[in-house]
Amino acid sequence: MKLKVKIGVSNHHVHLKKETYEALFDEPIKKKKDLNQIGQFASEQTLTIKTDKYEISNVRVLGPFRNYDQVEISKSDARKLGIDPPVRDSGDLKDALEITLVTEKSSVVVKGCILAKRHIHMNTSEALKLGIKNLQPMRLIIDNEKSGTLNGVVKVSDDGYFEAHIDTDEAAAFNLNNNDEVEVEI
């Protein structure tokens, strides 16, 4: 089955447990803007991610709080930081790497640094209509001056907004921007 889907380019960011957030910030989390995924938002808060080799500042904290700490970076970020995190689905922190989160208040080491596996979000009711299952393989087909394909999975959830998430490296490699439309084969 082939469908059209819009691209969402994902820059480095962090998802935090409430306890970790409170260890790093004195103020309540404040929404900067809603994201397309229902209930998800970019907060006003940013922090620095740091290794022994390098640091990246102004990394956005996303909300709402989760029951795990997760730092999502691109391969280019990983090279700068001198680390080699695994490619994982969100929430799968098996073999995730330790990384230090730094704010003016404090620093915390979390074992949650990954390269996010590319994926498409889809609403549960739409997935049922189309016969698509959670984590079913998919393929993005890019037809532009830098044509190619990207493999990933479909993430089905009640609050899913139909959108393909790729990181900044993948977007640059295929000359894609937020809201560009590509074909998806499921």
Side-chain angles (χ1 to χ4, degrees):
M1 158 187 347
K2 289 187 180 179
L3 305 165
K4 293 284 188 182
V5 66
K6 287 193 176 180
I7 293 290
V9 180
S10 185
N11 198 4
H12 45 238
H13 61 275
V14 299
H15 300 280
L16 298 175
K17 296 186 291 191
K18 186 173 194 238
E19 301 78 31
T20 306
Y21 179 87
E22 289 172 347
L24 291 165
F25 297 95
D26 284 326
E27 71 273 8
I29 194 166
K30 183 178 178 189
K31 185 187 296 186
K32 178 177 178 151
K33 71 174 187 171
D34 286 315
L35 301 177
N36 286 340
Q37 297 310 309
I38 298 164
Q40 305 286 315
F41 62 91
S43 77
E44 293 284 344
Q45 287 73 23
T46 62
L47 50 72
T48 297
I49 57 175
K50 183 178 179 182
T51 63
D52 292 339
K53 182 176 178 186
Y54 194 75
E55 65 183 47
I56 299 172
S57 58
N58 297 313
V59 177
R60 186 75 50 199
V61 175
L62 300 187
F65 297 122
R66 296 202 177 173
N67 59 2
Y68 54 87
D69 296 315
Q70 181 170 288
V71 179
E72 295 181 35
I73 63 174
S74 70
K75 187 66 175 181
S76 293
D77 293 334
R79 286 188 180 109
K80 288 177 192 171
L81 292 163
I83 58 177
D84 188 22
V87 176
R88 293 283 181 262
D89 288 318
S90 186
D92 177 2
L93 300 177
K94 182 178 186 286
D95 302 322
L97 299 185
E98 285 189 349
I99 194 160
T100 304
L101 309 178
V102 182
T103 64
E104 287 182 13
K105 179 181 177 182
S106 68
S107 66
V108 175
V109 176
V110 298
K111 189 174 179 356
C113 187
I114 64 168
L115 305 177
K117 184 184 277 187
R118 69 185 74 90
H119 55 277
I120 290 179
H121 288 278
M122 182 176 275
N123 183 283
T124 304
S125 61
E126 190 64 25
L128 282 171
K129 285 181 206 170
L130 297 171
I132 295 170
K133 295 183 179 7
N134 190 43
L135 301 181
Q136 185 170 327
M138 64 85 184
R139 189 165 65 117
L140 295 175
I141 303 163
I142 297 102
D143 185 18
N144 63 18
E145 61 279 357
K146 291 191 125 188
S147 295
T149 60
L150 293 167
N151 294 325
V153 296
V154 179
K155 294 177 79 171
V156 178
S157 64
D158 291 341
D159 56 0
Y161 174 85
F162 191 54
E163 181 177 60
H165 285 182
I166 61 175
D167 69 25
T168 53
D169 288 349
E170 295 161 335
F174 288 94
N175 199 26
L176 292 170
N177 296 299
N178 275 320
N179 297 313
D180 283 354
E181 196 172 72
V182 299
E183 193 167 65
V184 60
E185 187 175 74
I186 303 173

